[in-house]
Amino acid sequence: ATLLAAGLDDHPGVHVLEPLGYIDFIAAVRGAAAVVTDSGGLQEETTILGVPCLTVRPNTERPITITHGTNRLVTFEDLVPQTRKALDTEHATARKPPLWDGHAGERIADVIRHWKKAK
């Protein structure tokens, strides 16, 4: 209701959804032109999926999403113009941030192996 009151529903590219299960949710995010959120986890998911994210918060625990250019912190007052800008601008960042390659488990296993050998 808050997003509707802000006037975001008058853009043809905006779809306000009810809560979804995880698989439907990720499918919706993957197909989105942009996402508006206050969720830290969603900032990471949009980054890995290459979808522009607008986070309605003054800060983030995921600063790499800001420096990587897939996420922008916005105020509620600036939300509508920033959302329209994200919808009207082609999103150029399709590459993943460093180390977001799906191989964290392998790197952790290597660290544990080296640690065990050192004991």
Side-chain angles (χ1 to χ4, degrees):
T2 304
L3 295 177
L4 299 178
L8 283 178
D9 62 331
D10 68 354
H11 191 288
V14 173
H15 303 281
V16 178
L17 304 174
E18 294 296 320
L20 300 169
Y22 187 73
I23 293 174
D24 291 334
F25 170 74
I26 291 299
V29 170
R30 185 179 191 143
V35 171
V36 175
T37 188
D38 66 356
S39 165
L42 187 51
Q43 296 169 41
E44 290 180 340
E45 290 166 334
T46 56
T47 295
I48 206 71
L49 294 171
V51 175
C53 184
L54 296 112
T55 302
V56 186
R57 290 177 39 188
N59 56 42
T60 178
E61 303 82 21
R62 283 107 174 148
I64 194 167
T65 65
I66 302 294
T67 57
H68 190 65
T70 57
N71 184 22
R72 182 179 311 147
L73 297 176
V74 298
T75 63
F76 183 76
E77 296 75 25
D78 204 26
L79 178 58
V80 172
Q82 289 296 325
T83 301
R84 287 188 173 133
K85 181 178 178 182
L87 290 171
D88 294 336
T89 303
E90 189 172 321
H91 186 61
T93 306
R95 61 184 179 80
K96 296 174 180 68
L99 302 178
W100 286 34
D101 58 5
H103 297 283
E106 295 164 23
R107 286 191 289 276
I108 291 167
D110 285 342
V111 168
I112 292 171
R113 273 193 292 278
H114 286 80
W115 175 75
K116 287 183 81 171
K117 284 181 183 178
K119 285 186 112 187

